[in-house]
Amino acid sequence: MAKLVILTQGLTGRTHELNVDRTTIGRVEDNMFQIAEPSVSSHHCEVHLRGSEILIRDLNSTNGTFINGEKVTESILKPGQTLRLGNVELKLDTPGAASAPAAQAAGATPPPPAPAKPRQVEPTMVIPRGVSLSELESGGRPASFDTSKEFSKKRNKAGVYFWIAASIGVLLIAGLLIYANYIIKSSPH
C-alpha cells in the first residue's frame, strides 16, 4: 500500500498510509494526516487515489505545494518523487517501487522480494521520542532545502475591511454628536 513518509528533520520517519480515496493534509487536527508545522497551512492539500495514480491537489495553501521543486495546483505524484508542503518534505513510498526503476534501467528482471523477517519486540525496548542530540547539533534544516524563498502568512482581508468600516462608523457617530451638540447650543431656549 502507498504511503507518504516525512523526510524533514524533527518529523523524520512519520508516515501516513493512503488507504482511502481522499486524504486531507494540513496543520490542524481535523485533517486525516496532521503535520503540526507552522509553514504548513491549516488545510494544505488533498491526496486522491485514482486507480494506480495518486493525485495531489493544493487547497489554496499559503506557502504552496511542490512536486520535485515545481509548484503545482493539481498533479500526479509518482513513487520516489518529493512532495513539499511549506518547509516539510515527504516522499511517496510504494511497495517495490524503489527497486523497479534500477532493474529496468539495467535491462534485468528484478528478483522477487525476500520475505521480511518478523521483528521480535522485547518488553524492555524503549520507543525513542523527541529530538536526539545529534539532530539538534546538525541544525534545523536539511542541506538540500532551498532557503532562497521566504514564506509569508496570508493577510486577513476581512479583518482589514472590518476595521475600515468600524473607523468610518465611529467618524459618522462623532460627526452626528458634534452636529447635534451644535444644534442644541444654537437653538433659542
Side-chain angles (χ1 to χ4, degrees):
M1 176 163 299
K3 63 182 174 180
L4 290 172
V5 180
I6 299 181
L7 304 174
T8 303
Q9 286 183 353
L11 301 170
T12 306
R14 280 197 53 211
T15 65
H16 182 79
E17 287 193 16
L18 302 172
N19 53 9
V20 293
D21 291 340
R22 179 180 164 269
T23 301
T24 57
I25 303 175
R27 188 179 66 247
V28 294
E29 292 177 7
D30 65 350
N31 289 286
M32 295 175 79
F33 187 19
Q34 180 188 13
I35 303 174
E37 206 280 332
S39 67
V40 176
S41 292
S42 299
H43 298 95
H44 201 101
C45 70
E46 294 177 331
V47 179
H48 294 270
L49 296 181
R50 292 188 174 167
S52 63
E53 291 184 332
I54 296 174
L55 177 76
I56 305 295
R57 179 178 292 142
D58 184 72
L59 296 175
N60 196 24
S61 62
T62 302
N63 296 321
T65 300
F66 298 81
I67 295 179
N68 283 352
E70 185 177 326
K71 189 171 185 173
V72 299
T73 54
E74 187 172 298
S75 185
I76 301 295
L77 180 65
K78 296 177 182 165
Q81 287 186 321
T82 302
L83 172 66
R84 182 164 50 90
L85 313 175
N87 291 338
V88 178
E89 288 188 346
L90 305 99
K91 209 171 252 307
L92 176 63
D93 186 19
T94 56
S99 60
Q104 289 172 355
T109 58
K117 294 180 182 178
R119 183 175 173 198
Q120 292 183 349
V121 179
E122 298 175 18
T124 58
M125 289 182 74
V126 176
I127 299 173
R129 301 233 181 234
V131 180
S132 69
L133 182 59
S134 62
E135 288 174 336
L136 286 174
E137 291 172 349
S138 66
R141 291 187 177 160
S144 65
F145 186 75
D146 180 18
T147 57
S148 63
K149 294 182 185 178
E150 288 296 323
F151 294 108
S152 63
K153 185 176 180 178
K154 285 185 183 177
R155 290 186 179 257
N156 184 356
K157 291 181 183 177
V160 171
Y161 294 139
F162 170 79
W163 287 111
I164 290 172
S167 299
I168 292 171
V170 167
L171 288 174
L172 284 174
I173 291 171
L176 286 174
L177 289 173
I178 291 170
Y179 179 72
N181 191 26
Y182 172 76
I183 295 295
I184 291 171
K185 286 187 178 183
S186 64
S187 68
H189 292 276

